[in-house]
Each structure stands twice: as structure tokens, then as C-alpha cells.
Amino acid sequence: MASLLGVTAIHHAPNLDMYRRMGTTATASPAPSLSFADKSHLIALKAQACFSGTNRRNLSGFSSSAIATPNSILSEEAFSSLDGFSKDSLDDNFIDSEPDSSLAFSAADDDELAISKLHLPQRLTDALQKRGITHLFPIQRAVLVPALEGRDLIARAKTGTGKTLAFGIPILKKLTEDDELRSSRRRSRLPRVLVLTPTRELAKQVEKEIKESAPYLNTVCVYGGVSYVTQQNALSRGVDVVVGTPGRIIDLINGNSLNLGEVEYLVLDEADQMLAVGFEEDVEVILEKLPSQRQNMLFSATMPTWVKKLARKYLENPLTIDLVGDQDEKLAEGIKLHAILTTATSKQTILRDLVTVYAKGGKTIVFTQTKRDADEVSLALANSITSEALHGDISQHQRERTLNGFRQGKFTVLVATDVASRGLDIPNVDLVIHYELPNDPETFVHRSGRTGRAGKEGTAILMFTNSQRRTVRSLERDVGCKFEFANPPAIEEVLESSAEQVVVTLRGVHPESIEFFTPTAQKLIDEQGPGALAAALAQLSGFSHPPSSRSLINHEQGWVTLQLTRDPSYSRGFLSARSVTGFLSDIYSPAADEVGKIHLIADERINGAVFDLPEEIAKELLNKELPEGNTILKVTKLPPLQDDGPPSDNYGRFSGRERNSRNSSRDRRGYRTSRGWGSSRDSDDDGDLFGRNRSFRTNSSRGRNFKSSGDDWLIGGRRSSRSSSVDRFGGSCFNCGRMGHRASECPDK
Ligand SMILES: Nc1ncnc2c1ncn2[C@@H]1O[C@H](COP(=O)(O)OP(=O)(O)OP(=O)(O)O)[C@@H](O)[C@H]1O
């Protein structure tokens, strides 16, 4: 690298001075266009840059031992110091010193970060501007100077913040300048840049970004799953940049189609993910084949041991640029986070509603844990929403078609396994849904980062079950984020959003088609009034039949939630789940047999409970005459419930999560230590059936998942009127609250 540095210095010395000056003011205050790097954020970054040995160790995944030398600094520190420091000042003794707190943050000049002011080769500037890239993003600004100085780098920045061009711009600058000096472009020239990525999709995306930014250079993408011939031919025509996955690169080297003997720049993108997908050996084989004189840039979200080892072995005196740090929220600023409580049985229905209400017709990516789930969920959605699955079992060709179709808006929901979570840059994804909890916080960050990219806004929704509450809290702590806990959308919201979306769709109908249908529309309106248009809207929204009712408790279709309220002056006993069942059995015994979960109302002034019943049974029950002082109503909104509060210390003691943990070890924060705490095989929400006494569920026809052992589920003391039933009443009386008799037999009646 030393010689390369020498060359760089000769070629670029004047420019570097300019960049250093720019860097100082740029750091001092961000350009207004960089909305997600506001002043306070930068001040925070600067605080992080207090790079004493101690706090450096605190940087998660970026401990001092992670890096080969103590020569690691945070980019903002590097940047803010560039004015007064030469390249040499980026060396050892600078690093461990505290930053100069007096360093003033002066007003920024937007122009100083403008691509047009960077003195890049005109061709490069033009191509970038044509793509709408007019100003540097923070990670690009942070990487630019040290990269141009030829330094080895280890870098980390939030998702969607422009890491590709962070290494792309300095490398392309050098390549373009050299290209201009060259009189003729040699055919069969060997690649000068190698970018290694862990997935094929990411490789293609990086290639695209580079190609579009420097179309005059030859960039070739190589990855498995497709024919060798096209890739071999492209390589043989002469190439400047090779982007690819390790396996195919090794194959091409072994087949003498790829010679890496002239590589000057190596970029390892998503280095930690290389490990996750088992490429570590291949990466090392490739690195051994590269010339030792080269510049290395390693991008990694975390620093597992292997990545540290790699950095120590192959990087020279690397500079660490960390725009995430330990304290910061690791997600890009524009991402709103929601957590929605679901149940295993109602998940698919809720998912559809979430897509309708939150994406409003925009692009959504749904993440599942397993390939099978991705297929199933995509298929289930496809009834009403255009959707495709993406996972490793799908052929490469089809994967590309699917991704292109999604990019072009041919369908709106992509259901993917984590193969798509890393690095994929699909513009304008409005919504990310974690259908299953991710395996670890990093996966959560990467999945969520598919939205809110390049400074845009987006929403990420985590679907979780009752038994996963604690893990959700751990996730908040680990990621440094806060979820807004919300209920699944009510059917009214779903209908409203559907109608809004249909109206938007109607705007896209071609005027000529409208003309063709106008006479019929006029006739319909004359005959039926606005009802005709309403019918058309209902049909287009997929609601040609009235929406089936939904439980407000667990959102299952075909169920309704009723509220029983009892005037305290008519009874001495408090309402309990058992007494509710007893009462139902007196009024209409099928209701007692079929009742779902019963929750007591939290408001102490109301002696009441809510419970679920199948629609038909609820209808019958609502027609029955009730004893004085009692009311039963269908509710459209749940009142606060007694077991809504935070989990007690006993939470999860008998939950599905704990039961699962016999098979999978977890660390103390609830993550599975092997893959998959959020596995699709996670339990239903029946965890609290066994550990809590305020929420009950009968053995109704839908109670498929609960244990048949133990008595907790024996609401009202009987399994059903079809079993031992009526002879001995084990529940408590709705009238007096005492055990052993029904309200109808109550001595106090
Ligand atoms: N300076 C810029 N101005 C405008 N858009 C930019 C700029 N830099 C990058 N972009 C765009 O931002 C998007 C995200 O960039 P990129 O994919 O490089 O992010 P990333 O940090 O690598 O994300 P991930 O961590 O998810 O892989 C891309 O569409 C890219 O073209």
C-alpha cells in the first residue's frame, strides 16, 4: 500500500488539500440537504469520538481488539481534524487523545458537500448528477479523504446511508483519472478493483450502482447460479471493476478466466455476513491471491472474531469509521417503528390488514424466518394483494425477475427470508413487516433498513405474540429504539384504507377507457344513485362480500367481541372469568361452550368483562333476555383490560417461550444463541394461559393449541356441556361469586 499511497499523493495532492478544508467545515455543520445528519447528530458523533481506550472498547462490535492496530479513529474526528493535520497526523499518537471540545461547529455551506465542488473528473460528476446524486452523504464524506489518501478502512454506517458510493466515489475518481491519462484502453486488461459481497443480489446491486456512476468503465458482476460463459466473455473483454460473490470468483480463478494479479483496491462489503453465509474460507483464499500492495476497505455491521482476524491479517494500519456507535439508535432516522401484538392463528389476516393500512398501496417487504413461510404467506396474500416470494430455493433467474418486478412496481408485496435483508437497495419501500421476530438485533436493523433509505421516511412493523413480549423489550434495548405498541387495525380502518387506495388506483385509469364506460356508469347512477359507485369501490377493494367480523382480542375472523357489564348493586360478588362462563351457561349454554378468551375490565368502577364468541352464537346471545342489572353489548373498541399491563415477574414462567427453550438455548437477553429465537415455530399466544389467572380460554372448537393437561383451561369447571358437564358445577356463581353453584341455583337469588 505504501507505493500506492505514493502514487496517490503525487496524483492527488492538490485535491486532497481541498478535501481537507472542505472536511473541516463539512463536519462542523452538515449541509441542509443531509437531513439525517443534523447538527445534534454530528455533535453526538463527535462525543462518541472521545476515543479513549476505555470508551473505544465500549463500541459494540468495534472494540479496540477488533482492529489490528490502535490506529483507529472515528470519521468525524478524522474529518474535523483534517484541516490542521496532514496525513501523518492520522497516525497513532493522534488516536487516543480526547477530541478538542472547543472545536466550533460553524455554519455549513451546502456547496462544500456538492458533488460539483469536489473536483471529480467531469465524466464522473456528470454521471452522478444524472442519477440525482448532488451532495455527499455523511459516510461518503467521512470515507472520502482517508480513502483518497490510500488508507485501509473499516467502516460502519446505518442502513441505506450510501455505503456503496462511500467506497465507490474515491475509487471511481482514481480509476477515471487514470483512464483519462491512458491513451488507449487495453483489451483484456485485468481488474483493478475487486468488490466481494455475500449475496448475489447485493453483488448485482453494487455493480449497478458502480456502472451507473461510471458507465465509461467496465464493470463485471460475477456470481453463482447462472452460466459461466457470459461472465467469462465479459472478463475477457477487459475489465476495470469486478463485483462478485466469493464462490464464483474462486471458480473463475481456477478456470483461468479471472486474474486478480493487478487488483489495487479490495472492498469487502457486509463482511460479517460473509461469515453468516459460510464464505469465510473462500474469502481468505481470494485475499491470498491478491497483490500485497493494495488498498482495503472493509464494511461490516458487526465485528465477529473472524472479521477481526481478517482485519488484523490483511489490513494495514486501518482507520475505523463508525457512524453508528454504541449509544445511537442503529436505525436510520426516518424509520417509524411499530410493534403489533398478534396470535399465531390470526397472523395472516393481520398481516393483510397491516399492508392495507400502513403501506397504502406502496411497496412492502415482509420478512419470514423460513422459506416455507415465505411461500405460504405470499400465497395467502395473493388472494387480495399482488405478492411474490423471494428466498434461497428460488432459482437465481427467478430471483432476479422477482426483484426487478418489485422494483418496477409490478407487484407491491415481496415476502422474503433474510436473504433480502442485507444490502438490497430497492427504492421507495414504504413498509417493512417482521412477520417473525428476527434472529438477532443486527438482522432486525438490516431488515428494517430496507425502508427509510437515502434520507426518506419509512415504517417498520414488528409482529409479535404475547409470549415474545420480553424479547421485544430486549430488542428495543439492543437496537436502541422504541416501538410504538399498537393494536392490529380495526376493520373500519382497513375498509377506509382500501377505499382510499381504490380511489388512487382509479386516478390511473386511462381517459379513453373512462369514456368507454361512461354511458353505463351514467345509467347505473341514474338507476341506483351513489350506491352504484360504492358497489364498484367495494368490488375493487376486494370486499364484494361484507367483511367478516373480527375478534378485538385475537383478531380471528368470524368471531366477535362482546362486553358483559354488571351493575354492582345487583350482586355482591366480583365478576370473575369463571362467573362469566357460568352466567353465559345460564343464559345460552352454547355461548358457554364456545366462549374464547375472557378478560376482565381494568377500570375498577366497571364490573365487567369482554369475551369472544363465534359470530352466529353471539347473535343468538344478543337476542336473549338477561337478568336485571346485566348488559351484553358488541364492542368496537376494547376497554383497558386487567392483563394489559407489563408482564409480571412470573411472566413467561410457563410460557411457550420457556417451553421452547428446552430445545434451543438462549442467552440472557432472550436471543437464541443458535439461529432463531424468532423462529416461525414460536409458540402461539397461549403462554399466559398457564401462568396467569386472569385470562382464560375454554376448550372451544378453536382452542387447538392449548394443553389438555391441568385444570386451568377448565373454565366454569366443565370441558363442555357435551362431556361430564352439568352434574357438578365447578365454577363460581355469577350472582354471589361463591364456588360450586350456578347463578340460577344461587341461594341468594
Ligand atoms: N449522495 C447521495 N445522494 C443521493 N442518493 C444517494 C447518495 N448516495 C447514495 N445514494 C442512494 O442511496 C441509496 C442507498 O445507498 P446504498 O445502497 O449504498 O446504502 P447502504 O448504506 O449500502 O445500505 P445497506 O446497509 O442497506 O446496504 C441508493 O439508492 C443510492 O443510490
Side-chain angles (χ1 to χ4, degrees):
M1 191 175 69
S3 71
L4 205 112
L5 257 178
V7 173
T8 308
I10 292 163
H11 279 202
H12 306 294
N15 277 354
L16 275 179
D17 282 345
M18 187 274 295
Y19 293 133
R20 285 190 189 107
R21 281 195 301 278
M22 175 203 85
T24 310
T25 42
T27 302
S29 173
S33 61
L34 302 175
S35 59
F36 53 92
D38 62 8
K39 191 169 165 183
S40 60
H41 180 57
L42 283 181
I43 293 170
L45 283 169
K46 197 165 156 45
Q48 273 174 35
C50 295
F51 218 66
S52 69
T54 333
N55 61 21
R56 185 162 13 131
R57 229 160 277 130
N58 287 341
L59 288 173
S60 106
F62 278 78
S63 66
S64 55
S65 61
I67 297 134
T69 74
N71 194 10
S72 319
I73 64 169
L74 291 169
S75 61
E76 296 299 328
E77 188 63 29
F79 235 86
S80 61
S81 308
L82 281 172
D83 200 24
F85 286 86
S86 68
K87 172 170 64 64
D88 296 339
S89 68
L90 294 171
D91 284 333
D92 294 0
N93 52 359
F94 170 75
I95 307 311
D96 282 337
S97 65
E98 294 291 311
D100 178 4
S101 57
S102 65
L103 210 130
F105 283 82
S106 66
D109 180 356
D110 195 17
D111 272 3
E112 288 174 340
L113 293 169
I115 297 286
S116 59
K117 299 287 164 76
L118 294 181
H119 295 256
L120 299 174
Q122 197 54 46
R123 287 189 292 173
L124 181 56
T125 306
D126 291 346
L128 288 169
Q129 288 186 332
K130 202 167 144 207
R131 301 185 53 217
I133 292 164
T134 56
H135 291 79
L136 291 182
F137 281 175
I139 183 68
Q140 295 159 359
R141 182 164 49 89
V143 164
L144 186 67
V145 176
L148 285 175
E149 288 181 328
R151 290 210 59 165
D152 279 5
L153 300 172
I154 299 171
R156 176 164 85 146
K158 291 176 182 178
T159 54
T161 54
K163 291 189 281 291
T164 313
L165 285 181
F167 64 78
I169 291 176
I171 290 178
L172 293 178
K173 175 185 186 300
K174 290 178 185 179
L175 257 56
T176 310
E177 284 167 348
D178 292 350
D179 193 59
E180 282 165 1
L181 292 177
R182 241 191 248 128
S183 49
S184 71
R185 304 198 86 219
R186 243 178 344 109
R187 217 187 124 79
S188 79
R189 64 193 184 284
L190 300 179
R192 296 177 62 195
V193 183
L194 176 67
V195 184
L196 290 179
T197 71
T199 64
R200 299 161 183 181
E201 280 75 15
L202 185 55
K204 278 196 70 74
Q205 197 178 286
V206 169
E207 179 220 17
K208 187 167 171 275
E209 186 96 14
I210 291 178
K211 235 179 193 162
E212 287 177 359
S213 303
Y216 42 85
L217 295 176
N218 274 13
T219 305
V220 174
C221 189
V222 296
Y223 51 83
V226 289
S227 135
Y228 284 83
V229 184
T230 329
Q231 297 174 359
Q232 283 164 330
N233 288 343
L235 291 171
S236 70
R237 281 195 292 272
V239 57
D240 300 295
V241 181
V242 169
V243 184
T245 50
R248 178 57 63 98
I249 286 176
I250 290 184
D251 288 350
L252 289 165
I253 294 172
N254 292 342
N256 292 325
S257 305
L258 177 61
N259 181 341
L260 298 177
E262 292 187 11
V263 166
E264 294 167 41
Y265 308 98
L266 167 78
V267 178
L268 256 174
D269 206 0
E270 308 276 6
D272 50 349
Q273 196 60 11
M274 295 282 189
L275 184 69
V277 294
F279 272 143
E280 62 267 39
E281 214 180 303
D282 288 351
V283 168
E284 294 199 48
V285 168
I286 294 168
L287 295 196
E288 290 295 336
K289 293 191 187 300
L290 299 179
S292 55
Q293 299 293 309
R294 62 171 196 267
Q295 184 177 6
N296 302 293
M297 298 190 213
L298 184 155
F299 288 76
S300 195
T302 55
M303 276 289 183
T305 315
W306 175 73
V307 180
K308 288 178 201 167
K309 197 186 105 200
L310 208 66
R312 230 175 273 130
K313 191 165 166 196
Y314 296 102
L315 271 59
E316 194 184 310
N317 201 21
L319 178 75
T320 299
I321 293 174
D322 182 1
L323 294 199
V324 181
D326 199 28
Q327 304 305 318
D328 265 358
E329 167 159 342
K330 290 170 183 64
L331 283 171
E333 278 74 359
I335 305 175
K336 257 189 245 127
L337 293 176
H338 299 277
I340 307 270
L341 182 64
T342 65
T343 61
T345 44
S346 60
K347 254 180 142 175
Q348 285 189 0
T349 316
I350 294 176
L351 175 67
R352 189 175 311 118
D353 293 352
L354 291 174
V355 171
T356 307
V357 171
Y358 285 85
K360 301 209 184 300
K363 285 194 190 115
T364 301
I365 304 183
V366 177
F367 285 106
T368 62
Q369 280 281 355
T370 65
K371 299 170 199 168
R372 212 174 89 192
D373 280 347
D375 284 333
E376 277 177 18
V377 167
S378 161
L379 208 66
L381 281 176
N383 291 334
S384 50
I385 295 170
T386 50
S387 153
E388 297 271 348
L390 183 81
H391 56 69
D393 277 357
I394 292 172
S395 74
Q396 185 55 32
H397 187 61
Q398 181 55 42
R399 268 155 77 168
E400 279 164 29
R401 276 226 313 253
T402 301
L403 273 176
N404 283 341
F406 188 53
R407 281 201 176 93
Q408 291 160 14
K410 289 187 180 156
F411 61 94
T412 53
V413 180
L414 181 71
V415 186
T417 54
D418 287 317
V419 83
S421 74
R422 286 277 182 149
L424 279 194
D425 182 43
I426 297 160
N428 307 322
V429 172
D430 300 278
L431 178 63
V432 164
I433 298 182
H434 303 261
Y435 187 74
E436 309 282 357
L437 293 193
N439 284 326
D440 47 51
E442 282 75 33
T443 306
F444 174 77
V445 169
H446 280 278
R447 285 174 169 189
S448 304
R450 296 315 99 203
T451 185
R453 297 179 70 74
K456 298 203 177 89
E457 298 208 324
T459 303
I461 298 179
L462 183 72
M463 295 174 77
F464 70 101
T465 58
N466 218 343
S467 60
Q468 294 170 328
R469 267 180 202 274
R470 273 195 188 174
T471 315
V472 176
R473 294 289 181 204
S474 303
L475 195 59
E476 280 190 323
R477 274 196 303 280
D478 292 344
V479 176
C481 65
K482 267 260 152 283
F483 290 107
E484 193 180 299
F485 286 81
N487 286 320
I491 190 67
E492 291 75 17
E493 280 178 89
V494 178
L495 286 168
E496 200 177 305
S497 294
S498 300
E500 280 168 21
Q501 277 165 41
V502 172
V503 171
V504 173
T505 323
L506 290 181
R507 289 196 199 114
V509 179
H510 197 281
E512 278 178 32
S513 305
I514 296 178
E515 218 174 291
F516 185 78
F517 282 91
T518 303
T520 317
Q522 191 57 58
K523 191 165 164 256
L524 274 176
I525 288 171
D526 292 345
E527 284 169 15
Q528 299 172 21
L533 185 55
L537 293 178
Q539 170 70 28
L540 284 171
S541 331
F543 286 104
S544 53
H545 292 286
S548 63
S549 57
R550 310 249 171 99
S551 149
L552 298 179
I553 297 171
N554 64 13
H555 303 277
E556 280 193 50
Q557 278 183 322
W559 290 71
V560 282
T561 303
L562 302 181
Q563 179 172 325
L564 166 66
T565 320
R566 189 171 185 212
D567 187 333
S569 56
Y570 285 84
S571 92
R572 274 170 275 152
F574 285 108
L575 210 54
S576 72
R578 288 178 185 217
S579 59
V580 171
T581 322
F583 177 75
L584 292 178
S585 122
D586 288 340
I587 304 299
Y588 181 53
S589 70
D593 294 341
E594 296 295 334
V595 70
K597 276 195 168 181
I598 300 170
H599 291 266
L600 302 186
I601 293 172
D603 187 340
E604 282 168 5
R605 291 162 302 175
I606 302 172
N607 195 14
V610 291
F611 53 90
D612 279 349
L613 277 178
E615 206 171 358
E616 286 309 311
I617 293 184
K619 253 187 218 157
E620 291 295 325
L621 180 70
L622 287 170
N623 286 332
K624 301 284 175 203
E625 207 177 312
L626 302 181
E628 212 173 337
N630 298 292
T631 36
I632 295 184
L633 292 171
K634 183 175 167 187
V635 280
T636 51
K637 201 166 178 282
L638 280 184
L641 303 176
Q642 282 191 19
D643 50 1
D644 254 4
S648 69
D649 288 346
N650 279 340
Y651 176 78
R653 226 170 83 188
F654 307 106
S655 72
R657 212 180 105 195
E658 185 138 303
R659 277 179 275 140
N660 276 353
S661 71
R662 280 180 216 137
N663 302 325
S664 66
S665 53
R666 289 166 194 277
D667 64 19
R668 73 198 142 74
R669 294 169 307 172
Y671 298 131
R672 288 215 174 119
T673 45
S674 57
R675 280 181 79 78
W677 54 237
S679 134
S680 59
R681 306 294 154 240
D682 223 318
S683 72
D684 190 353
D685 68 329
D686 52 4
D688 65 348
L689 276 173
F690 310 113
R692 301 167 130 197
N693 57 11
R694 281 173 297 174
S695 168
F696 296 86
R697 195 172 182 175
T698 63
N699 63 333
S700 73
S701 54
R702 107 198 125 111
R704 296 178 286 280
N705 293 329
F706 60 83
K707 279 184 175 177
S708 55
S709 60
D711 283 339
D712 300 57
W713 58 276
L714 277 168
I715 310 300
R718 52 188 167 146
R719 285 161 203 268
S720 83
S721 56
R722 289 180 288 278
S723 65
S724 64
S725 79
V726 272
D727 19 325
R728 282 187 60 221
F729 184 69
S732 59
C733 168
F734 184 67
N735 195 40
C736 69
R738 291 199 299 270
M739 302 284 289
H741 64 261
R742 292 191 188 82
S744 54
E745 296 148 9
C746 180
D748 296 342
K749 201 165 56 167

